[in-house]
């Protein structure tokens, strides 16, 4: 029997629009058998996640997604972490530091937008966030101000590289993100490899200790699933996958979970139990 598994989604603790408890309810409705929350640079959703999962008898795990920075493809690398010990020495402190750097970046983005004559203030951005700040919160603030109609429009007009609001990511290097997760006993995987670059860049991540890549992904075509599945096999990487669900009004709000064949689910469920 194929299994519906979610290994990649976001809550209000980063740039999602549902609480962890709301994600749990929706996962149950969507037929998900295992739900993993992977907020950007935050594990604060864990308490709500585990409490709701107990009430609804759903299997859940706490993961993480760390957006990286650096030369070339590094600023498009997002590292997913699974199975780490959230209480490992220094782990939560590093995440706090990453979130502080995101605040600095968001303030700079606001300055760039103000220089364009948009009457946005940092408080508009911060007030829409629960914990981790990101460009989606700037996008939401622009939406509330009536400047754009969607997160997508805000990214395309202002927030992506080359657009006037853009500020470089201030995240860790991919090697630092991988080491942080592994040092806490976790498994480090590359999210949505289609944004991260070519095979030689994947090799570099592999040398830095990468253990898995997203093969099944809501945005992947069947041929991308084949290509990344072959990469995973060739390098001995775990083939993980998820939807990258962010919730209503984010443009990333389709059904939670991804259909895994028995062949795909077996190794993943074994490693992530
Ligand atoms: P940041 O972490 O601040 O660099 O923002 C990147 C995050 O914004 C990604 O992890 C996605 O969650 C989200 N994102 C990127 N592009 C888009 C888009 N076109 N529409 C909506 N959300 C996006
Ligand atoms: Zn996100
Ligand atoms: Fe991502
Ligand atoms: Fe994500």
């Amino acid at each position: 029997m194929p299994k519906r598994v979610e290994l990649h989604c976001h809550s209000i603790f980063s740039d999602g629009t549902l609480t962890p408890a709301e994600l749990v309810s929706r996962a149950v409705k969507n037929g998900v058998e295992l739900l993993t929350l992977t907020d950007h640079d935050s594990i604060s959703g864990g308490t709500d996640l585990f409490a709701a999962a107990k009430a609804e008898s759903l299997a859940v795990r706490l993961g993480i997604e760390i957006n990286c920075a650096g030369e070339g493809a590094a600023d498009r690398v997002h590292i997913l972490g699974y199975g780490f010990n959230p209480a490992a020495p220094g782990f939560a402190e590093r995440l706090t530091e990453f979130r502080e750097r995101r605040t600095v970046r968001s303030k700079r983005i606001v300055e760039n937008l103000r220089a364009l004559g948009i009457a946005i203030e940092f408080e508009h951005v911060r007030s829409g966030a629960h914990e981790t700040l990101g460009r989606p919160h700037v996008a939401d603030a622009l939406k509330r101000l009536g400047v754009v109609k969607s997160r997508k429009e805000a990214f395309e007009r202002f927030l992506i590289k080359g657009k006037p609001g853009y500020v470089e990511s201030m995240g860790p290097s991919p090697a630092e993100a991988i080491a942080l997760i592994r040092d806490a006993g976790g498994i480090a995987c590359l999210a949505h490899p289609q944004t991260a670059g070519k095979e030689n860049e994947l090799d570099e991540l592999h040398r830095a200790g990468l253990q898995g890549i997203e093969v099944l992904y809501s945005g992947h075509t069947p041929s991308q699933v084949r290509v990344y599945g072959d990469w995973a096999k060739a390098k001995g990487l775990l083939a993980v996958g998820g939807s990258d669900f962010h919730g209503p009004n984010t443009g990333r709000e389709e059904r939670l979970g991804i259909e895994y064949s028995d062949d795909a689910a077996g190794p993943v469920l074994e490693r992530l139990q």
Side-chain angles (χ1 to χ4, degrees):
M1 266 277 286
K3 285 194 181 330
R4 199 163 183 90
V5 175
E6 181 59 87
L7 297 182
H8 185 170
C9 68
H10 301 273
S11 80
I12 55 166
F13 287 95
S14 65
D15 54 6
T17 53
L18 295 181
T19 64
E22 288 167 335
L23 285 169
V24 167
S25 301
R26 189 175 287 236
V28 171
K29 282 198 199 87
N30 288 172
V32 169
E33 292 175 52
L34 172 71
L35 172 73
T36 305
L37 177 64
T38 55
D39 271 318
H40 300 282
D41 299 342
S42 171
I43 48 173
S44 301
T47 311
D48 189 25
L49 177 77
F50 290 114
K54 201 166 169 194
E56 303 227 28
S57 302
L58 179 71
V60 295
R61 302 284 184 274
L62 184 60
I64 190 95
E65 183 175 16
I66 302 176
N67 294 6
C68 299
E71 293 297 305
D75 74 343
R76 283 177 275 121
V77 167
H78 295 182
I79 300 292
L80 291 161
Y82 302 111
F84 50 79
N85 171 13
F91 186 75
E93 289 79 2
R94 269 328 281 293
L95 297 181
T96 303
E97 183 196 322
F98 298 162
R99 291 197 300 271
E100 285 166 1
R101 278 145 63 171
R102 283 173 166 276
T103 299
V104 172
R105 183 187 187 207
S106 299
K107 286 181 176 168
R108 290 190 189 155
I109 294 173
V110 167
E111 282 167 25
N112 285 351
L113 294 170
R114 288 182 65 83
L116 296 174
I118 298 169
I120 186 172
E121 288 176 33
F122 176 66
E123 189 51 29
H124 295 143
V125 176
R126 203 207 51 78
S127 66
H130 221 72
E131 187 168 68
T132 303
L133 277 179
R135 283 179 289 168
H137 300 101
V138 180
D140 289 348
L142 289 170
K143 209 164 117 182
R144 288 195 298 275
L145 290 167
V147 178
V148 298
K149 292 208 160 47
S150 64
R151 280 189 178 184
K152 183 169 183 282
E153 185 189 345
F155 269 84
E156 286 169 359
R157 281 176 59 195
F158 301 108
L159 302 176
I160 57 176
K161 199 171 203 151
K163 298 298 171 179
Y166 183 77
V167 172
E168 293 281 338
S169 166
M170 298 172 72
S173 69
E176 282 176 303
I178 291 167
L180 181 66
I181 291 161
R182 294 195 61 155
D183 288 350
I187 299 171
C189 303
L190 176 64
H192 39 70
Q194 78 281 9
T195 62
K198 302 285 180 299
E199 190 159 358
N200 58 338
E201 281 137 359
L202 185 81
D203 282 334
E204 205 174 308
L205 296 172
H206 193 204
R207 282 194 293 277
L210 191 77
Q211 292 148 298
I213 62 169
E214 258 182 345
V215 170
L216 302 167
Y217 183 70
S218 55
H220 280 172
T221 62
S223 93
Q224 283 173 318
V225 171
R226 253 194 323 277
V227 168
Y228 299 123
D230 288 347
W231 275 11
K233 264 204 201 87
K235 319 269 179 217
L237 294 165
L238 187 66
V240 295
S243 70
D244 211 357
F245 179 94
H246 280 69
N249 303 312
T250 65
R252 296 171 176 202
E253 53 204 88
E254 281 164 34
R255 192 173 161 192
L256 272 165
I258 293 273
E259 215 63 60
Y260 279 62
S261 66
D262 286 339
D263 278 1
V268 167
L269 297 179
E270 195 178 304
R271 286 286 290 280
L272 304 185
Q273 66 183 337

